[in-house]
């Protein structure tokens, strides 16, 4: 099945003025260059996987859940190994991931020079895509990548790498089969319910990949119409004229506050639990090749130590996002202000804090995400059996961390492992290539900086697993291989020395 066409979206950027150079090469020329590079590299590699069926049903080699940047990179990396994957995404084409839906930053937070999902191909980088259309001068003038332009780049990536994405297809159940080395996916599609079998499944499901928003209990006092999580899809225009409270001070909190202010909110009060904002992004300081390649091989206590340290240090909101809020005179930064209680008052609410009470018409909680299997019914068949770090690792006193304890304890190819051996055969055929893999593998399965490294690790590991599983098939192919290199007429046998004249 060919990938569905993706509608083009007009390129826009409110945050940067694009000055076209005199002679950008154009996307058509770039695509020819990329096609030649792929041809020279033999990418995609020739198919070597045996075709499988089960009970008369075709079997996919790999099914990938999620068509965002992680799913795209994983599919392209698998193609380099000669392994075909089919991607299923619940969103319409061109809306995969958060970029065009729930993300509200003006630009990406990552430096523009990072190559992201390009997998070592210069012609596949955002920079090459950008310069082909706008020129080198515009690239030099660009500060950060506009958010919607990143989405446009990913749409292009999907097309030129021929990624097979089945859009508007939601996975409703994932279940390893007890009688075959396969995983069954139940799907909800525009044409009705479908069932798919795959030898392996990759969860490329993003920041909230194994759960959902971390919602504080105090919002239970409010009707759902009076609050939202910062990751919710919402029309911020409805906040015009309202007194808005924002819980948190991370990147999403700043972007939500700024969007509310830009949409005409009467005021925005940021309620910040900490006495001050962190100044340094320790995670950025950790981004060296040694850690990217070596995190998985670290002892458990060192993995926990580095991830816990980054969690405790916290990540500061971006400089630009913070200024985007503070330029409004009706924006207020309240430090040392955890929420003590909330009391509904008709169409508004009273929020009690150590610094006094606040009256809001609407509340936005920007409190991150958590592993929450109960929030993802599609995982019901496997959730009780997934081994977590909390099942087997006890941190040093004072280093407790619930986010880390809830993280899945993954194998070397991002595969889930059983909590109790033998209770869920085939669980290790499901691979967690999303943010909750960070404690086991480092941040290589979702964020832009090392997504290519993670995708290549996943693809090469899967190639090894498939070969081991199909060894007898491949050995039989070796035995049956009969293409001659020599035909017997390339030489004349020499007579014995005594017979030579």
């Amino acid at each position: 099945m060919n990938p569905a066409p993706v509608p083009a979206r007009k390129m826009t950027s409110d945050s940067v003025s694009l000055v076209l150079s005199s002679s950008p090469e154009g996307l058509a020329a770039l695509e020819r260059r990329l096609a030649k590079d792929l041809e020279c590299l033999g990418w995609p590699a020739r198919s070597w996987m045996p075709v499988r069926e089960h009970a008369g049903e075709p079997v996919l080699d790999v099914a990938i859940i999620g068509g965002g940047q992680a799913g795209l990179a994983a599919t392209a990396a698998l193609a380099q190994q000669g392994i075909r994957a089919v991607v299923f995404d619940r969103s319409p084409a061109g809306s995969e991931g958060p970029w065009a839906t729930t993300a509200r930053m003006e630009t990406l937070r990552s430096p523009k020079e990072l190559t992201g999902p390009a997998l070592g191909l210069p012609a596949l980088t955002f920079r090459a895509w950008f310069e082909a259309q706008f020129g080198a001068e515009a690239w030099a003038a660009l500060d950060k990548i506009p958010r919607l332009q990143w989405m446009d780049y990913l749409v292009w990536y999907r097309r030129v790498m021929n990624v097979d994405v089945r859009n508007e297809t939601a996975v409703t159940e994932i279940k390893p089969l007890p009688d075959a080395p396969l995983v069954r996916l139940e799907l909800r599609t525009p044409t009705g319910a479908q069932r798919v079998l795959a030898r392996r499944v990759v969860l490329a499901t993003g920041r909230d990949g194994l759960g959902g928003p971390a919602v504080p209990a105090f919002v239970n006092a409010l009707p759902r119409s009076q609050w939202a999580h910062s990751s919710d899809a919402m029309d911020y225009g409805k906040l015009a004229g309202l007194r808005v409270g924002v819980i948190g001070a991370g990147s999403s909190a700043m972007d939500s506050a700024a969007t509310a202010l830009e949409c005409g909110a009467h005021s925005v009060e940021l309620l910040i639990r900490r006495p001050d904002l962190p100044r340094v992004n320790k995670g950025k300081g950790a981004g060296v090749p040694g850690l990217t390649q070596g995190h998985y091989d670290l002892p458990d206590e060192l993995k926990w130590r580095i991830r816990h340290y980054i969690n405790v240090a916290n990540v500061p909101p971006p400089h630009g996002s913070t200024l985007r809020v503070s330029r409004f005179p009706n924006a207020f930064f309240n430090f040392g202000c955890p929420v003590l209680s909330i009391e509904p008052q008709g169409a508004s609410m009273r929020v009690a804090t150590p610094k006094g009470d606040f009256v809001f018409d609407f509340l936005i909680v920007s409190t991150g995400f958590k592993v929450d299997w109960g929030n993802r019914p599609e995982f019901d068949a496997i959730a009780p059996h997934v081994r977590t770090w909390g099942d087997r690792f006890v941190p040093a006193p004072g280093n407790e961390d619930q986010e880390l304890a809830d993280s899945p304890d993954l194998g070397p190819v991002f595969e889930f492992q059983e909590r109790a051996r033998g209770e869920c055969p085939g669980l290790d055929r499901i691979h967690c290539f999303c943010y909750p893999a960070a404690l086991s593998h480092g941040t290589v399965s979702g964020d832009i900086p090392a997504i290519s490294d993670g995708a290549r690790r996943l693809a090469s590991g899967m190639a090894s697993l498939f070969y081991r599983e199909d060894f007898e098939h491949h050995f039989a192919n070796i035995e049956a291989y009969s293409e001659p290199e020599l035909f017997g007429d390339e030489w004349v046998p020499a007579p014995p020395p005594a017979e030579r004249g």
Side-chain angles (χ1 to χ4, degrees), residues 1 57-58 60 63 65 86-89 164-175 183-198 378:
M1 179 174 178
E57 292 186 57
L60 301 178
I65 313 305
V86 174
V87 180
F88 301 98
D89 195 283
D164 186 352
V165 182
R166 317 287 171 88
N167 285 100
E168 300 181 67
T169 300
V171 177
T172 58
E173 184 182 46
I174 300 174
K175 187 174 184 179
V183 180
R184 186 185 70 216
L185 301 180
E186 300 288 347
L187 307 173
R188 185 175 62 250
T189 79
T191 58
Q194 293 183 14
R195 174 178 294 180
V196 168
L197 296 175
E378 67 268 33

Side-chain angles (χ1 to χ4, degrees), residues 140-160:
L142 185 69
D143 177 27
K144 296 284 183 64
I145 297 172
R147 168 176 54 87
L148 291 179
Q149 204 164 60
W150 181 254
M151 184 70 243
D152 291 326
Y153 160 70
L154 293 177
V155 168
W156 175 79
Y157 182 113
R158 165 181 167 174
R159 177 172 64 80
V160 295

